[in-house]
C-alpha cells in the first residue's frame, strides 16, 4: 500500500508541474514540494489515498514515467526522446487494444491469467527488455526490469504482473499524448506551408540589364 501511495504522489506532483509549467522554477519547485507532502499524508488527510480510493492503483510504469516527468520539469533534462516517447505510447495503445478486450472475455484466451506467475510470460518480457536494451531504448528496458522486480517482491497490492506494467489511466495518457503529438505535427506543417510561399514572394526578382 505504501508503494501505491508513493506512485500516486509522483503522478500528482507530475501533473502539478505540468499545470504550472509557465511559472518560475522556484515557484514550481515549491508547488511540487507542497503537493508531495499533501499527497503522502495518511488517510483521510492525504491526497493520494483519496485518489486511489476513486481511481484504483496505478502501475509501476505510470509511477516511473511520472518520476521521469518530474525530473524533466525540475532539472530540464529530457530522459526520453520524442521518438522513444512516441514509440512507447504506440506500444501501450496497441497493447491495450489487444489486452483489455481479450481479458474481458472477447476470446477463450485470457492474457490476464498469464500475469499470475506464468514463466513463459516472464521470459517473454525479459526478452523484450533485452531487445529494448540492444535498441538503446534504455528507459523501456529499465521499466520492464523494475516492474518485474517489484512484482517479485509484491510491492503493489495486486498479485498479477500486468497490474505492475499497465493501467487504464496510463493508456488514456498515452492516447492523449499521441493525439497532441499529431496535432502539433499538423500545426507545424501548416506553418511551414504558409511560410514557404511568403518567403518565395519576398525573394528579390533578378532582372537582366
Amino acid at each position: 500500500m505504501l508503494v501505491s501511495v508513493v506512485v500516486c504522489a509522483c503522478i500528482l506532483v507530475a501533473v502539478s508541474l505540468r499545470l504550472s509549467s509557465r511559472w518560475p522554477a522556484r515557484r514550481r519547485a515549491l508547488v511540487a514540494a507542497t503537493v508531495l507532502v499533501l499527497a503522502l499524508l495518511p488517510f483521510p488527510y492525504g491526497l493520494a489515498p483519496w485518489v486511489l480510493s476513486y481511481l484504483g492503483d496505478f502501475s509501476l510504469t505510470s509511477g516511473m514515467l511520472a518520476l521521469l516527468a518530474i525530473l524533466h520539469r525540475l532539472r530540464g533534462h529530457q530522459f526520453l526522446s520524442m521518438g522513444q516517447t512516441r514509440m512507447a505510447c504506440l506500444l501501450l495503445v496497441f497493447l491495450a487494444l489487444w489486452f483489455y478486450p481479450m481479458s474481458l472475455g472477447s476470446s477463450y484466451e485470457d492474457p490476464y491469467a498469464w500475469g499470475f506467475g506464468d514463466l513463459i510470460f516472464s521470459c517473454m518480457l525479459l526478452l523484450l527488455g533485452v531487445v529494448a536494451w540492444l535498441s538503446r531504448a534504455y528507459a523501456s528496458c529499465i521499466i520492464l526490469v523494475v516492474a518485474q522486480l517489484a512484482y517479485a517482491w509484491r510491492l503493489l497490492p495486486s498479485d498479477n504482473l500486468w497490474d505492475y506494467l499497465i493501467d487504464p489511466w496510463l493508456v488514456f495518457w498515452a492516447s492523449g499524448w499521441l493525439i497532441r503529438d499529431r496535432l502539433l505535427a499538423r500545426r507545424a506543417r501548416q506553418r511551414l506551408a504558409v511560410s514557404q510561399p511568403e518567403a518565395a514572394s519576398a525573394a528579390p526578382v533578378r532582372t537582366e540589364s
Side-chain angles (χ1 to χ4, degrees):
M1 185 63 185
L2 177 61
V3 176
S4 296
V5 172
V6 172
V7 168
C8 184
C10 289
I11 293 172
L12 292 175
V13 172
V15 171
S16 69
L17 286 173
R18 179 66 182 87
L19 295 176
S20 61
S21 59
R22 296 181 183 276
W23 293 4
R26 183 173 297 180
R27 188 180 298 179
R28 281 188 286 120
L30 181 61
V31 169
T34 304
V35 171
L36 180 63
V37 172
L38 291 176
L40 292 177
L41 290 176
F43 189 81
Y45 310 105
L47 289 175
W50 278 103
V51 172
L52 292 174
S53 66
Y54 283 103
L55 303 184
D57 290 316
F58 297 97
S59 63
L60 257 296
T61 305
S62 293
M64 284 185 280
L65 289 177
L67 188 59
L68 293 179
I70 292 171
L71 294 175
H72 167 61
R73 295 288 176 187
L74 294 179
R75 304 293 298 274
H77 181 70
Q78 189 82 27
F79 291 90
L80 283 177
S81 66
M82 292 293 288
Q84 286 186 349
T85 306
R86 189 178 297 114
M87 183 57 66
C89 290
L90 282 172
L91 288 175
L92 278 170
V93 171
F94 282 120
L95 177 64
L97 289 175
W98 166 79
F99 172 70
Y100 284 113
M102 294 273 286
S103 300
L104 293 175
S106 65
S107 171
Y108 290 109
E109 190 67 40
D110 181 13
Y112 190 75
W114 303 348
F116 293 107
D118 188 282
L119 181 60
I120 297 177
F121 179 53
S122 299
C123 292
M124 288 174 60
L125 290 178
L126 288 175
L127 181 61
L128 185 62
V130 172
V131 172
W133 184 268
L134 294 176
S135 305
R136 298 185 178 181
Y138 301 121
S140 300
C141 178
I142 291 173
I143 286 173
L144 286 171
V145 172
V146 170
Q148 295 226 55
L149 290 176
Y151 170 71
W153 293 329
R154 298 293 194 274
L155 296 182
L156 292 180
S158 174
D159 56 354
N160 191 294
L161 179 55
W162 281 109
D163 295 325
Y164 290 71
L165 293 169
I166 189 172
D167 62 81
W169 303 108
L170 177 64
V171 178
F172 287 147
W173 170 81
S175 303
W177 193 95
L178 289 173
I179 293 172
R180 178 177 175 271
D181 183 53
R182 293 292 298 174
L183 292 176
L184 291 177
R186 178 183 297 180
R187 192 177 302 172
R189 287 196 299 270
Q190 290 174 347
R191 280 201 297 265
L192 184 63
V194 171
S195 62
Q196 283 181 342
E198 290 178 351
S201 61
V205 178
R206 293 184 177 178
T207 56
E208 296 182 357
S209 59

